[in-house]
Amino acid sequence: MALSRDEILGAPDMEPVAEDVPEWGGEVLIRRFTAGEALKMEDASGIDIMAAALVDEDGVGLFTTDDVRALEGKSAVAVNRVLQRVLKVNGLSSEGN
């Protein structure tokens, strides 16, 4: 049976996803972008996308655009691990989620 409009709009599809980052000694929470946000990410850099996706346990963003420079100084291995997961969780990679 096909989903109704109300079922689609009411579906809980925005829960954050945890990703372990051993280089940073713990895990990060990755928020799911809305469809509109995902479309706007097409021209963003990887660091900008990652910074926009990381949230605390209350769903509040951890970083601002002012933090991007500092994130560029972090381990490429850790940043790439997190970025790949951000892209996958948000359907922005060819692997889907």
Side-chain angles (χ1 to χ4, degrees), residues 33 38 49 83-97:
F33 297 141
I49 293 169
L83 176 59
Q84 291 308 309
R85 185 69 169 139
V86 167
L87 296 174
K88 186 174 180 181
V89 161
N90 283 291
L92 300 174
S93 73
S94 58
E95 298 176 27
N97 60 355

Side-chain angles (χ1 to χ4, degrees), residues 36-76:
E37 289 171 325
L39 289 172
K40 292 177 185 174
M41 294 294 171
E42 288 182 7
D43 295 327
S45 73
I47 292 282
D48 289 325
I49 293 169
M50 186 186 82
L54 298 183
V55 295
D56 65 17
E57 300 213 356
D58 294 321
V60 177
L62 295 178
F63 301 105
T64 68
T65 54
D66 294 335
D67 296 316
V68 169
R69 193 98 151 102
L71 287 170
E72 289 174 346
K74 300 304 297 174
S75 160

Side-chain angles (χ1 to χ4, degrees), residues 19-40:
E19 176 69 16
D20 187 47
V21 188
E23 297 83 0
W24 295 343
E27 68 181 23
V28 295
L29 287 177
I30 299 167
R31 75 177 183 93
R32 296 179 188 267
F33 297 141
T34 65
E37 289 171 325
L39 289 172
K40 292 177 185 174

